[in-house]
Amino acid sequence: MGGIVYWGLLRTAVVIVLLWFSYDYFDYNFFWIIFSLVVYLIIIHPIVSEYKKFIKKNKNVITNSLCSQCKHFNETAVLCMKYDEHPTDDFTPCDGIDWEVK
Ligand code: SF4
């Protein structure tokens, strides 16, 4: 999840700089069309598709694992808050020892 935010912010910064310097090259009306397309294609669409991949990859951990029923589990980041590690289908950071009901 952190990678999605990091690359989203990085792409946003690059897009802002590029659009800032290209503003003089486009007619005012075309600039906003180009701005909208660039923001969608370079910032929004990759974030949405990466987030869908993230959810698909971690669906089983989020919905059907020991950690999913634990109060230390953060679903949005797929993170064990107690161990600061990401559980997977094959890996439970505490091996079930520190599990506590939500
Ligand atoms: S404490 Fe154990 S069961 Fe609970 S979220 Fe962390 S690794 Fe999973």
Side-chain angles (χ1 to χ4, degrees), residues 49-94:
S49 87
E50 286 172 21
Y51 184 71
K52 283 181 181 175
K53 280 184 202 167
F54 174 80
I55 294 296
K56 187 176 178 182
K57 180 182 165 194
N58 293 294
K59 187 175 182 179
N60 195 41
V61 177
I62 294 169
T63 60
N64 193 25
S65 69
L66 181 68
C67 294
S68 68
Q69 304 301 316
C70 178
K71 77 174 191 179
H72 301 295
F73 185 61
N74 182 327
E75 292 173 7
T76 56
V78 190
L79 179 72
C80 169
M81 304 297 282
K82 186 164 186 154
Y83 285 79
D84 197 26
E85 291 193 59
H86 296 280
T88 64
D89 286 335
D90 306 327
F91 174 64
T92 304
C94 75

